[in-house]
Amino acid sequence: MSDEEWQVIKPLMPWPAWLRGNGGRPEKYCRRLIMDAIRYVVDNGCKWRNLPADFLVPWRTVHAIFTRWWTDGDLYALHNDLREQVRIADGREPEPSAGIIDSQSLRAAETVAAGSRGYDAAKKVQGTKRHVIVDTLGLLLVVIVTAAGVQDRDAAKPALARLRDWYERIALIWADSAYAGKLVTWAKKHIRLTVEIVKRSDDVSGFVVLPRRWVVERTLSWISQRRRCVRDYERLSEHHEAMVLWAVIILMGRRLARSTSPKST
């Protein structure tokens, strides 16, 4: 991280347990080093064991903190705080009122358990599938990882239910034709969400930029810029969700650092 990025992220970091009076020893390693080590794995796609010795932090410690921040919900809290800051800097309300949903199939490495993978016949991909919901700026709201064989409309139900639990202000979701049918009725009846299908015109051939849908497709391309997210290497699907969050945290941290740097003003 640059110094500007660290100044953005530092106030949002989770407080150590010993500072909250919950016992335990003071942390041994600098939190900036831990953050840089995790970001290195996400950005470069290396194995945890292959972390460069220059970080001066044992890889087991880095992995343990990566897991703890995910399990305790600290990673989502950091991500959500950064997203609110990006939205405010863009002149938006902190919480969105609409979103876009889509999915992306990924080839799975041999480290992914057999029970977590499947075959996407449409994309001809053997592996997993990440389902994401983003706001109108393309910032991540929800991510869920399933086997690649799970239909989009089936995975959309838990994703939309999670969205409703976390964001009461959202009332409208745009989606492609894969989400048409019973899902639209279910969302309206059970979680009070309007799912609007953005269809592709039958008269157009080749690549076409579709209204609203291009936003989530751009987000999927942003996530794929981080090598650890190009394929699924995680033994646990929850850890791939964490990798996606880290990919977006890197994006938002850099964006906020540019907007607050002296050169930008």
Side-chain angles (χ1 to χ4, degrees), residues 5-262:
E5 285 181 82
W6 177 240
Q7 292 306 313
V8 169
I9 292 177
K10 182 179 179 180
L12 308 178
M13 295 287 292
W15 278 73
W18 66 276
L19 282 179
R20 295 195 300 262
N22 296 336
R25 295 178 297 176
E27 294 180 342
K28 182 178 180 181
Y29 299 101
C30 172
R31 288 190 151 200
R32 184 170 179 177
L33 282 179
I34 299 294
M35 288 281 291
D36 280 339
I38 295 175
R39 287 161 57 107
Y40 186 91
V41 172
V42 176
D43 192 38
N44 291 272
C46 69
K47 297 179 180 179
W48 290 102
R49 293 173 181 270
N50 292 347
L51 268 174
D54 298 342
F55 284 111
L56 304 177
V57 183
W59 72 267
R60 293 183 185 276
T61 300
V62 177
H63 184 265
I65 294 175
F66 165 85
T67 303
R68 186 174 75 238
W69 284 352
W70 166 258
T71 304
D72 294 347
D74 294 329
L75 183 60
Y76 253 116
L78 171 62
H79 169 272
N80 292 347
D81 288 343
L82 284 171
R83 187 189 62 244
E84 289 182 1
Q85 289 193 14
V86 173
R87 288 183 58 85
I88 292 172
D90 197 66
R92 307 294 185 96
E93 292 290 332
E95 186 172 323
S97 59
I100 309 100
I101 187 171
D102 204 355
S103 66
Q104 183 179 39
S105 295
L106 304 169
R107 299 189 184 279
E110 70 279 357
T111 50
V112 178
S116 301
R117 64 174 71 215
Y119 182 70
D120 184 347
K123 301 293 180 62
K124 296 181 173 57
V125 171
Q126 175 72 34
T128 60
K129 184 184 290 186
R130 56 183 172 226
H131 309 264
V132 301
I133 305 176
V134 303
D135 65 9
T136 53
L137 294 179
L139 303 177
L140 190 67
L141 299 174
V142 172
V143 56
I144 289 180
V145 177
T146 67
V150 176
Q151 295 294 322
D152 288 353
R153 64 178 64 91
D154 294 332
K157 288 185 177 181
L160 291 174
R162 183 180 297 183
L163 182 79
R164 169 51 66 222
D165 290 340
W166 291 352
Y167 309 97
E168 297 181 355
R169 190 166 177 262
I170 292 183
L172 174 63
I173 296 293
W174 288 286
D176 62 26
S177 56
Y179 299 91
K182 295 181 179 180
L183 176 67
V184 177
T185 305
W186 176 87
K188 191 71 173 179
K189 179 179 179 181
H190 293 281
I191 56 176
R192 305 183 310 281
L193 273 177
T194 299
V195 178
E196 182 177 318
I197 306 301
V198 180
K199 295 183 178 180
R200 175 189 172 94
S201 175
D202 296 333
D203 301 330
V204 179
S205 60
F207 175 76
V208 179
V209 177
L210 297 175
R212 301 299 181 181
R213 280 172 50 181
W214 69 270
V215 175
V216 67
E217 291 167 357
R218 181 185 60 178
T219 302
L220 292 172
S221 71
W222 285 343
I223 294 170
S224 297
Q225 290 176 3
R226 311 277 80 86
R227 291 186 180 180
R228 188 80 177 199
C229 297
V230 173
R231 296 181 66 187
D232 191 351
Y233 297 95
E234 313 309 322
R235 297 185 185 277
L236 300 176
S237 59
E238 293 86 355
H239 283 183
H240 186 78
E241 295 175 15
M243 289 294 178
V244 171
L245 287 177
W246 276 108
V248 182
I249 286 172
I250 293 173
L251 172 75
M252 294 189 295
R254 290 176 177 174
R255 183 179 296 184
L256 288 170
R258 287 196 300 268
S259 66
T260 57
S261 64

